[in-house]
Amino acid sequence: MASGANGSSGDTVLVTGGLGYIGSHACVALAEAGRRFVIVDNLANSSPRVLDRLQRIVGWRPDFVEADIGDGARMARVLREHRVGAVMHFAGSKAVGESVALPLDYYRNNVAGTLALLEAMRAQAVRRLIFSSSATVYAADNAMPLREDAALGASNPYGRSKLFVEHMLRDLQAAEPEWAIACLRYFNPVGAHPSALIGESPRGIPNNLVPYIAQVAVGRRERLSVFGGDYGTADGTGVRDYVHVLDVAEGHVAALRHLERAPGWVAVNLGTGQGVSVLEILREYERASGIPIPFQVVQRRPGDIAQCWAEVARARDLFAWRARRDLGEMCADSWRWQQANPDGYG
Ligand code: NAD
Ligand code: UFG
């Protein structure tokens, strides 16, 4: 499907950050949809082994360019040489705590990096973009479920970097209406491909709940610290909208189909619409793994909100997409991946 006004662009999808957790699953979804793609990744938070694993899943070796999205000249060359018609932009830094300690790194990688990519896209007349945004762009005091028109407001540099990019993309599309842009606001992606060949491989101590539980189950960590048991939720623990990473990946293919029909700027939640507490997911993981998970309730984690889940009507109406995999499948796939790869990609 050609997208460039001058006809120079083709139908390949550029997947930035395609060796990372969500990007690698998006590559599988693209392959399943019969789409050609090329991966750009600088390996800042990923392993080249992902390429071998992707090859085993899809049956052919994906094109890969080791490069930084901030290198605009290089990005322009990739777009041209691979006849790219659309970009799925996953590349970025994502640790909230690190962003507080290293704000400039986050603004450089997430904001300036995206700016360089956009300039390269414009130079090559590639004007279709799917951006990895986050539920963290919503202000803390909204009512649940979160609709896309809820108040925005981030509380840390990581979240602000996502919000800045959303604004940047909206301004760009308003000025140049031929752009087709979707900001996908992910809730809490978890799980792994059922082959157990690709999954989440955090470096060091996991910040996120499900990877931490997985490491307790496999015996790498002693017990889970539950951050807060005194929230105003049903069991007192934090509530989130966990969504299977493959559903998130398929949401990108659905968004791409939408953008091919309809230029514009749109923000869309990707979640299940269901809130699940820390203790509920812990119990589900115990069921999936058959292993008791020791835990202790400790102080709340600074910056955490009590609860957060998505209104999912827009994804359904615009993309004909909904999350299909349930919590049991998320835990079972996470556990299969963790068992087969106790040290992640090593
Ligand atoms: P990830 O760290 O596994 O993947 C990001 C990939 O981008 C990595 O492979 C990394 O090496 C690469 N990368 C980073 N900076 C780069 C650069 N300058 N040039 C080229 N490659 C670069 O993270 P993920 O969980 O797959 O997240 C993907 C995107 O989704 C990120 O933008 C993240 O902020 C966003 N997001 C993630 C979550 C989540 O819970 N995982 C939630 C909301 C939004
Ligand atoms: N939690 C624990 N113990 C842990 C880790 C987490 O009890 O060891 C709790 C948290 O307090 C929270 C829930 O589990 O109630 C989920 O925590 P995560 O860290 O897995 O996810 P968050 O919703 O806090 O954060 C995620 C992403 C952020 C993003 C945010 C909003 O990791 O990058 O969603 O989109 F900003």
Side-chain angles (χ1 to χ4, degrees):
M1 186 117 1
S3 80
N6 61 7
S8 66
S9 56
D11 60 1
T12 300
V13 178
L14 167 61
V15 185
T16 76
L19 297 186
Y21 173 46
I22 305 173
S24 59
H25 289 81
C27 290
V28 174
L30 282 166
E32 272 169 7
R35 300 287 186 135
R36 244 199 321 267
F37 60 90
V38 54
I39 296 169
V40 164
D41 201 297
N42 68 357
L43 302 175
N45 193 36
S46 54
S47 161
R49 293 192 185 120
V50 175
L51 266 187
D52 304 328
R53 303 291 185 89
L54 283 174
Q55 181 172 4
R56 283 170 65 189
I57 296 172
V58 307
W60 39 272
R61 194 160 186 85
D63 283 337
F64 169 57
V65 180
E66 184 178 342
D68 194 296
I69 52 158
D71 181 346
R74 191 82 194 283
M75 286 303 104
R77 205 159 73 230
V78 171
L79 293 168
R80 194 169 56 245
E81 289 176 355
H82 289 266
R83 299 184 52 75
V84 169
V87 177
M88 289 186 183
H89 177 31
F90 298 93
S93 312
K94 64 166 181 176
V96 172
E98 187 182 57
S99 81
V100 174
L102 303 169
L104 295 186
D105 289 12
Y106 273 68
Y107 291 124
R108 179 172 18 79
N109 207 32
N110 293 1
V111 181
T114 300
L115 185 56
L117 174 67
L118 290 172
E119 287 174 339
M121 287 176 69
R122 189 170 51 180
Q124 298 304 315
V126 178
R127 299 192 187 90
R128 243 175 232 142
L129 176 72
I130 297 175
F131 172 61
S132 296
S133 190
S134 167
T136 198
V137 300
Y138 291 112
D141 51 359
N142 284 298
M144 297 299 138
L146 288 162
R147 282 167 40 139
E148 286 86 349
D149 58 5
L152 301 177
S155 58
N156 56 67
Y158 166 71
R160 272 188 285 276
S161 75
K162 291 289 170 189
L163 203 45
F164 284 167
V165 171
E166 281 207 9
H167 287 312
M168 204 157 85
L169 294 173
R170 191 169 202 159
D171 290 341
L172 170 63
Q173 204 282 331
E176 300 177 15
E178 57 277 31
W179 281 79
I181 298 174
C183 295
L184 301 186
R185 296 176 180 158
Y186 315 154
F187 279 67
N188 290 62
V190 299
H193 191 267
S195 64
L197 287 166
I198 55 171
E200 190 165 13
S201 178
R203 293 183 176 164
I205 302 171
N207 292 313
N208 297 115
L209 179 65
V210 171
Y212 201 103
I213 291 178
Q215 293 194 2
V216 175
V218 86
R220 273 180 73 179
R221 311 208 177 264
E222 205 178 330
R223 71 170 69 83
L224 174 73
S225 295
V226 175
F227 298 143
D230 57 352
Y231 285 111
T233 58
D235 64 18
T237 67
V239 167
R240 296 290 184 276
D241 185 339
Y242 299 94
V243 54
H244 198 296
V245 65
L246 273 178
D247 280 323
V248 172
E250 289 164 8
H252 287 69
V253 177
L256 181 59
R257 291 196 181 109
H258 169 79
L259 294 183
E260 287 167 351
R261 291 190 303 269
W265 179 96
V266 67
V268 178
N269 291 336
L270 293 186
T272 64
Q274 305 289 323
V276 170
S277 77
V278 175
L279 293 181
E280 282 172 328
I281 201 161
L282 182 104
R283 297 298 172 219
E284 194 63 47
Y285 212 97
E286 290 183 324
R287 258 194 296 280
S289 64
I291 293 176
I293 316 273
F295 71 93
Q296 61 180 355
V297 177
V298 300
Q299 292 285 304
R300 294 179 179 191
R301 181 170 64 178
D304 268 0
I305 51 173
Q307 54 183 18
C308 170
W309 68 89
E311 165 61 61
V312 294
R314 188 177 282 179
R316 184 195 61 211
D317 296 347
L318 286 184
F319 301 164
W321 173 91
R322 68 179 174 84
R324 292 185 295 120
R325 296 160 178 92
D326 66 14
L327 198 63
E329 211 168 338
M330 298 177 212
C331 293
D333 288 338
S334 160
W335 176 234
R336 200 177 302 111
W337 155 257
Q338 184 66 53
Q339 275 184 297
N341 308 270
D343 301 315
Y345 294 110

